[in-house]
Amino acid sequence: MDGGPRVPEQRRPGSAVVAEPVALRFGVLGPVRAWRGEETLNTGSPQQRALLAALLLREGRTATAAELIDALWGTEPPSQALAALRTYASRLRKVLDPGVLVSESGGYAVRSLGEGALDLAVAQELAAEAEKARGAGDLCHAREVLKQALGLWDGEPLAGVPGPYADAQRVRLDEWRLQLLESRLDMDLEQGCHAETVSELTALTAEHPLRERLRELLMLALYRSGRQAEALAVYADTRRLLAEELGVDPRPGLRELQQRILQADPALAEPSAPVTEPTVVPVRPAQLPASVPDFTGRSTSVSELSEVLASASEAAAEGRVMAVSALAGIGGVGKTTLAVHVAHRARPAFPDGQLYVDLQGAGSRAAEPETVLGSFLRALGTADSAIPDSLEERAALYRSVLDGRRVLVLLDNAKDAAQVRPLLPGTAGCAALVTSRVRMVDLAGAHLVDLDVMSPDEALALFTKIVGEERVAAEREAALDVVAACGFLPLAIRIAASRLAARRTWTVSVLAAKLADERRRLDELQAGDLAVKATFELGYGQLEPAQARAFRLLGLADGPDMSLAAAAAVLDLPPEETEDLLESLVDTSLLESAAPGRYRFHDLVRLYARACAERDEQAAGERVAAMSRLLDFYLATAAGVYAIERPGDRLVDHLERTEYPGLTFSDRHTAQDWLYAEAVSLLACVRQSAQPTTLRRAVDVLWAAWDLAESGTNSREYEAVAARLRDVAKKAGDRRSEARAFMALACVHHISGTRFDEAGQEAERAIELAESAGDPLTSCWSSNASGAIAMYQSRYEDSERHFTRALENFRAVGDRPGEASALCNLSRTHLATGRTESAVALAQQGTEMYDAMGHALKGANGRYALGLALTRSGRLAEATECLQQALQVFQDSRQRLWEGMTVFRLAELDLTAGRPAQAAANAEMALTLLRGVGGDWRHGNALTVLGRALNGIGHLDRAQVCWREALEIFESLKAPEADEVRGLLTPASVA
């Protein structure tokens, strides 16, 4: 069908909208029901509901008795049909409000309904609103409104209502719902939600195999998700099905789409609305920071850069490469201010938007190009699901998205050319402005600009704009002394002038006298970073002692930002006093407020703060103590999160003791919120604490924050920190810490799904070290991990040995959650070796132990294992219930890996139950959830099950594509699952 869905042919009620809505509500998009407020009314027998439905669907128009009899009974009414009709009407009157069901001209009508009283009328209004929004190009609003409309359906329309009229209306309403659904799916694809849409479309094509529009949307979604072979396989399946069932070929639109996919038509890679619909306006980012209102001087540099950017228009016309300008200079020289000012002036030349990022090149942890590309792609309208994982793929997609657009990219504070290259648009018509502390002579084709300090006249003009003409005119010589003492650095001048402007009792001479201090003067005359330090010295020197201490100590931490609670730990002060200090530092511009309750340093200010700490802190022990308190805070709080999620778990009893307390939480959701919000800063603190004196606490923070790795959210950072701790522990001869670091690495690597051999070796090494160090809990968990790794590698004898040993050890140390974990894991080994009955018993025993302890998250792991065993034993209803309960907990706990694996197991269960369409939908959803987590091995397993499901619904060609992809994965991993997949593929496809 062309365009948006058509609303069913029904008229709106002619009655005026009443001032006060009537409390009655009615539903026909499901069972026929009526409510008064929240009270469900008894609408009587099926025939009585049929009468109510027939009247509601006429929307206020009168239906004659003959029409109603025909609607209820068709051509064979009972002999007393009229009497029965009157009885039904009488009963309904008693249930409904007075004046709602009226008799008129020998018939009946439902009148005086309030606005929104009938779900169908609400759906019609929402559909009309969506069509209007789509026509105006507002796809986001149109999608949301259509979702609301579709959400009004509650199963089959007019469910359980007899009669030919109800039968005809059911067909009409079902068709309308499909039209609305197709329109919403079409807009989903327009918005870039390709991967998410595949799962839903797979299920819908199985439910409606002859509906070609759904097949067309599925082909497009697969193609835009990078699954070209599967898209073509859908066409082959469709052509065969239409020939077998109807003896016809696919419609021209479907054939044309197949040809465009075969030809890799570039227009298909980008969403494009049907020609009858208005063009959707692409996302136009406008990310430039605000230009300072008192920008001064730099006229030569402004003209030079503006000319380079203006050449982008000529480049677009002539097909030449983009314009790139790179500004270099010492910190504080005004590179960012100049670049932002020039970028704002050039905005008219770049109508498709402006992108901005601080690359943090002056700090110790520069921004990763792939992270920046992900942010840019989202700003340009790319859905998260469509953003690939690797740097190369993201860079290629970024250039493709920018092709044909005229966008300015401002890359601020770059580390080096290597960081910048993947972020350059690479197409004519676009331009890039780069600022850095180094000259990028190795950035090919870049127009290099070396930015020096301001001239004396420019520096004085900037100072005057901030302080005020009157004060400077009265003390011009003193003002010249000030800007000279600032080394003519714009940032230093701005800080000095701002502080003077904020202190009306100071004169310019007072400020000049303060800057005459020899130490400040010498620093000011130095080159490079020393000049930047002199700039910040102006602000630092004016701080009260408590402010200065806070400034110095807070700069010691490596994290990108810091919460108020963490800062209080560093300063060893109450939160209220800490907040007052931090806000006062924000006022001086030495600290930034990243968000309510979170603070961060500019990278150069952080370096300066650390220099101050080394220079001014009387005792080095104070610096050590501050970082020790921060580590204590993270360990104590992470241990609290672990404990509230895993009640009864003995791990918290085996962690290093802390002197500084952590936060406490009233519920696990708040605890999880804290853990994920603090993830990057917490891991940065652990990495920074990788030294002999704090090593044990650092390793224990990793253990307590295990959710960060298991969820897949921060597994890469977690792995890097664990490897660092392992190396330091080995060098220090700390076998306990080394064992725990090896254990953390083993778990991360086996969760990755591709590094089982490495994980096995790490777990075995952890066992050896833990036993020699007298660390029984680490030995327990390492044995448990070794069993899991052996099971994944199909080494079932080794797996059972490790799990049995873990079970005995957990019991010996009284760790009941660990015991439950070992039982559930042992169940998996029994299941893999054909002992289904004992597998069910073991999983039940472990799950019951978790439930008795109130262990929601680990109880979900138990139900996962029990669901697998019940599936194999043929108890499918019980298995479904277990897996659904586990899925809800995993979703609630942000455990994306386990969420994806549970949906995968539901797909396997659906196949066993003979529900291939539902299996295909769940397998698609599992692939989406496991993207970026779980590794290739799990991805291959999901593809195998998806292929089986597709084969079951007749999508034979697409099934073959899935199996071939799975085979490539398993062969590259040398996984035994490759043999199973070869058996699924036809001999021809293998060849």
Side-chain angles (χ1 to χ4, degrees):
M1 182 183 71
D2 294 333
R6 297 186 178 91
V7 177
E9 297 176 1
Q10 294 186 0
R11 294 184 288 110
R12 301 288 300 136
S15 57
V17 178
V18 295
E20 292 293 332
V22 179
L24 284 177
R25 293 183 293 112
F26 297 90
V28 294
L29 299 177
V32 176
R33 290 170 292 187
W35 298 269
R36 179 179 289 107
E38 298 302 318
E39 176 192 1
T40 302
L41 303 180
N42 182 3
T43 52
S45 65
Q47 284 78 12
Q48 189 169 309
R49 294 199 302 275
L51 171 62
L52 178 59
L55 295 174
L56 288 170
L57 289 172
R58 279 168 171 76
E59 299 187 345
R61 291 175 286 125
T62 300
T64 66
E67 289 175 329
L68 291 171
I69 290 172
D70 183 64
L72 269 64
W73 291 287
T75 57
E76 298 180 358
S79 58
Q80 300 297 318
L82 182 58
L85 182 68
R86 290 170 177 166
T87 299
Y88 298 150
S90 176
R91 290 173 180 171
L92 284 172
R93 276 200 193 97
K94 295 177 181 178
V95 174
L96 305 178
D97 291 347
V100 172
L101 199 160
V102 298
S103 300
E104 188 176 79
S105 303
Y108 299 96
V110 170
R111 301 275 174 79
S112 303
L113 295 185
E115 187 72 23
L118 179 62
D119 58 359
L120 175 59
V122 175
Q124 288 174 319
E125 292 174 356
L126 290 171
E129 182 181 347
E131 191 169 1
K132 182 178 179 181
R134 190 174 189 182
D138 189 355
L139 287 185
C140 290
H141 181 62
R143 286 173 67 206
E144 288 304 313
V145 172
L146 268 189
K147 287 179 183 178
Q148 294 176 36
L150 289 164
L152 294 173
W153 265 262
D154 186 15
E156 182 185 48
L158 308 175
V161 173
Y165 179 77
D167 291 339
Q169 292 298 313
R170 258 191 298 272
V171 172
R172 178 178 66 81
L173 292 172
D174 278 334
E175 172 62 24
W176 185 45
R177 178 182 175 276
L178 278 175
Q179 292 172 6
L180 292 176
L181 191 54
E182 287 171 344
S183 182
R184 197 219 78 211
L185 288 164
D186 192 24
M187 287 188 282
D188 286 347
L189 294 181
E190 286 292 316
Q191 294 289 85
C193 302
H194 316 311
E196 299 91 333
T197 308
V198 168
S199 175
E200 187 174 0
L201 281 167
T202 298
L204 286 170
T205 53
E207 185 179 353
H208 306 281
L210 299 178
R211 200 169 181 96
E212 292 182 66
R213 177 56 177 157
L214 290 175
R215 298 269 184 161
E216 182 179 348
L217 291 170
L218 177 58
M219 289 174 64
L220 190 58
L222 286 166
Y223 180 75
R224 289 182 179 169
S225 299
R227 299 159 70 175
Q228 180 182 13
E230 285 187 66
L232 293 170
V234 170
Y235 179 81
D237 289 330
T238 305
R239 182 178 60 183
R240 181 177 58 254
L241 180 65
L242 291 173
E244 291 174 354
E245 297 291 331
L246 304 177
V248 299
D249 291 328
R251 61 185 178 85
L254 204 60
R255 296 199 300 271
E256 179 186 352
L257 178 59
Q258 183 225 15
Q259 290 300 312
R260 294 177 68 189
I261 291 174
L262 284 170
Q263 298 163 6
D265 184 350
L268 282 182
E270 298 180 2
S272 59
V275 294
T276 55
E277 298 180 4
T279 302
V280 177
V281 179
V283 176
R284 180 183 176 276
Q287 297 184 340
L288 294 177
S291 182
V292 294
D294 49 22
F295 182 87
T296 304
R298 305 296 197 188
S299 56
T300 302
S301 297
V302 170
S303 299
E304 181 180 0
L305 291 169
S306 297
E307 288 176 6
V308 174
L309 295 183
S311 70
S313 299
E314 300 173 6
E318 300 173 10
R320 293 187 283 106
V321 297
M322 59 168 179
V324 180
S325 292
L327 286 76
I330 62 172
V333 79
K335 301 181 295 294
T336 299
T337 301
L338 173 60
V340 170
H341 178 77
V342 171
H344 274 286
R345 283 178 44 130
R347 284 184 64 184
F350 301 94
D352 296 320
Q354 305 84 40
L355 296 169
Y356 171 85
V357 64
D358 179 1
L359 294 174
Q360 303 175 33
S364 59
R365 303 296 293 272
E368 296 292 339
E370 53 262 50
T371 303
V372 176
L373 285 170
S375 175
F376 277 179
L377 286 167
R378 286 194 268 303
L380 291 165
T382 306
D384 280 350
S385 59
I387 297 176
D389 293 327
S390 71
L391 171 61
E392 293 76 16
E393 289 177 315
R394 288 188 177 191
L397 178 59
Y398 170 64
R399 293 190 293 270
S400 298
V401 170
L402 287 180
D403 187 37
R405 298 191 190 184
R406 298 178 62 184
V407 174
L408 175 61
V409 182
L410 177 47
L411 305 174
D412 192 21
N413 195 10
K415 178 181 180 182
D416 50 32
Q419 185 190 30
V420 167
R421 288 190 191 100
L423 308 179
L424 298 178
T427 55
C430 291
L433 264 177
V434 184
T435 73
S436 177
R437 292 167 63 188
V438 299
R439 297 186 77 243
M440 294 196 175
V441 293
D442 53 344
L443 190 61
H447 177 81
L448 302 181
V449 177
D450 291 326
L451 197 60
D452 202 350
V453 296
M454 282 182 153
S455 69
D457 289 341
E458 288 177 334
L460 184 60
L462 174 60
F463 185 82
T464 302
K465 281 188 176 181
I466 299 172
V467 174
E469 178 70 33
E470 183 179 350
R471 295 176 77 182
V472 174
E475 298 180 274
R476 179 178 173 80
E477 291 301 321
L480 286 171
D481 289 341
V482 169
V483 297
C486 289
F488 306 110
L489 285 168
L491 184 56
I493 295 166
R494 184 173 298 280
I495 292 174
S498 297
R499 295 192 65 81
L500 183 60
R503 289 160 174 78
R504 305 303 301 177
T505 59
W506 282 15
T507 63
V508 181
S509 297
V510 169
L511 179 60
K514 290 178 178 295
L515 292 176
D517 180 272
E518 184 177 358
R519 182 184 59 184
R520 295 194 184 107
R521 180 67 172 171
L522 290 175
D523 285 346
E524 194 69 34
L525 294 176
Q526 295 297 312
D529 285 344
L530 290 179
V532 176
K533 289 181 180 180
T535 301
F536 294 117
E537 186 75 45
L538 176 65
Y540 176 70
Q542 302 300 321
L543 297 179
E544 299 295 332
Q547 293 175 311
R549 174 181 177 270
F551 176 74
R552 293 192 300 269
L553 295 182
L554 292 175
L556 296 172
D558 273 347
D561 63 1
M562 184 177 289
S563 67
L564 176 60
V570 171
L571 302 179
D572 197 19
L573 293 172
E576 297 79 7
E577 187 175 344
T578 301
E579 185 174 20
D580 290 341
L581 278 173
L582 298 185
E583 289 298 327
S584 69
L585 288 174
V586 171
D587 291 339
T588 67
S589 299
L590 290 174
L591 194 66
E592 299 175 11
S593 178
R598 301 198 73 85
Y599 299 88
R600 68 185 177 205
F601 282 106
H602 182 280
D603 47 13
L604 295 177
V605 179
R606 185 197 304 276
L607 294 176
Y608 173 73
R610 289 182 179 178
C612 290
E614 294 174 2
R615 181 189 66 191
D616 298 344
E617 209 60 59
Q618 292 182 355
E622 174 65 1
R623 301 196 300 273
V624 174
M627 291 305 297
S628 180
R629 287 192 296 271
L630 181 61
L631 185 61
D632 271 359
F633 167 76
Y634 279 132
L635 176 55
T637 309
V641 175
Y642 189 96
I644 201 171
E645 287 189 329
R646 300 167 175 83
D649 197 310
R650 291 291 308 281
L651 174 69
V652 293
D653 298 329
H654 292 260
L655 300 176
E656 285 291 295
R657 299 303 172 197
T658 59
E659 295 182 6
Y660 192 89
L663 300 175
T664 57
F665 305 100
S666 58
D667 61 86
R668 68 186 187 90
H669 294 100
T670 307
Q672 288 170 351
D673 289 342
W674 177 88
L675 181 63
Y676 288 103
E678 290 289 331
V680 178
S681 296
L682 178 148
L683 291 173
C685 178
V686 173
R687 175 187 286 275
Q688 200 172 1
S689 303
Q691 45 190 307
T693 56
T694 52
L695 183 59
R696 291 200 168 192
R697 281 181 291 157
V699 173
D700 285 355
V701 174
L702 275 193
W703 268 40
W706 168 240
D707 282 350
L708 296 179
E710 189 174 27
S711 67
T713 306
N714 299 88
S715 54
R716 288 185 181 180
E717 298 89 339
Y718 189 99
E719 177 190 358
V721 173
R724 170 67 178 159
L725 293 174
R726 174 203 59 197
D727 295 342
V728 173
K730 182 177 181 179
K731 186 176 181 179
D734 187 340
R735 300 175 72 81
R736 173 192 175 279
S737 296
E738 189 180 359
R740 296 192 173 195
F742 265 118
M743 171 59 192
L745 285 169
C747 291
V748 172
H749 290 155
H750 107 256
I751 280 177
S752 74
T754 57
R755 301 167 70 176
F756 292 131
D757 290 340
E758 187 176 354
Q761 295 169 6
E762 288 162 340
E764 292 288 352
R765 182 61 177 152
I767 294 173
E768 296 172 8
L769 289 165
E771 290 178 348
S772 67
D775 187 4
L777 193 66
T778 302
S779 178
C780 292
W781 282 110
S782 299
S783 296
N784 209 27
S786 293
I789 295 161
M791 181 183 65
Y792 283 126
Q793 294 180 308
S794 302
R795 296 186 289 109
Y796 300 120
E797 185 176 338
D798 291 340
S799 173
E800 184 162 358
R801 174 171 54 84
H802 285 301
F803 284 145
T804 302
R805 180 182 182 184
L807 181 61
E808 293 170 352
N809 290 343
F810 278 127
R811 285 171 173 166
V813 298
D815 191 325
R816 288 182 59 77
E819 179 183 348
S821 174
L823 286 168
C824 292
N825 287 334
L826 190 58
S827 164
R828 299 280 301 278
T829 301
H830 279 227
L831 190 64
T833 51
R835 292 170 285 174
T836 306
E837 186 175 343
S838 60
V840 172
L842 287 168
Q844 283 179 329
Q845 184 181 354
T847 303
E848 288 170 0
M849 290 177 67
Y850 279 137
D851 290 346
M853 292 180 284
H855 220 314
L857 180 57
K858 299 306 291 182
N861 289 118
R863 284 175 173 79
Y864 177 89
L866 181 56
L868 300 186
L870 291 171
T871 300
R872 186 74 61 84
S873 68
R875 296 158 64 178
L876 302 186
E878 295 173 75
T880 302
E881 183 179 1
C882 278
L883 290 174
Q884 290 288 2
Q885 289 174 353
L887 178 62
Q888 184 175 355
V889 174
F890 290 140
Q891 290 171 335
D892 195 42
S893 302
R894 307 182 194 180
Q895 291 291 325
R896 186 175 158 203
L897 171 64
W898 283 108
E899 181 186 353
M901 287 305 299
T902 306
V903 175
F904 165 70
R905 297 303 185 183
L906 285 168
E908 289 185 318
L909 189 153
D910 290 327
L911 278 179
T912 303
R915 300 188 295 264
Q918 184 60 41
N922 276 329
E924 282 284 3
M925 184 59 66
L927 282 170
T928 300
L929 289 167
L930 292 173
R931 185 175 184 178
V933 298
D936 289 343
W937 179 73
R938 292 181 176 87
H939 187 79
N941 283 322
L943 283 169
T944 303
V945 170
L946 176 59
R948 289 182 181 275
L950 293 170
N951 193 63
I953 59 176
H955 294 196
L956 308 182
D957 292 279
R958 190 177 162 204
Q960 295 279 318
V961 172
C962 291
W963 288 333
R964 281 195 291 270
E965 186 178 345
L967 181 60
E968 289 180 8
I969 291 173
F970 291 140
E971 286 180 340
S972 69
L973 297 175
K974 298 180 180 179
E977 288 83 0
D979 292 334
E980 174 194 355
V981 179
R982 289 191 192 97
L984 294 171
L985 286 163
T986 63
S989 64
V990 174

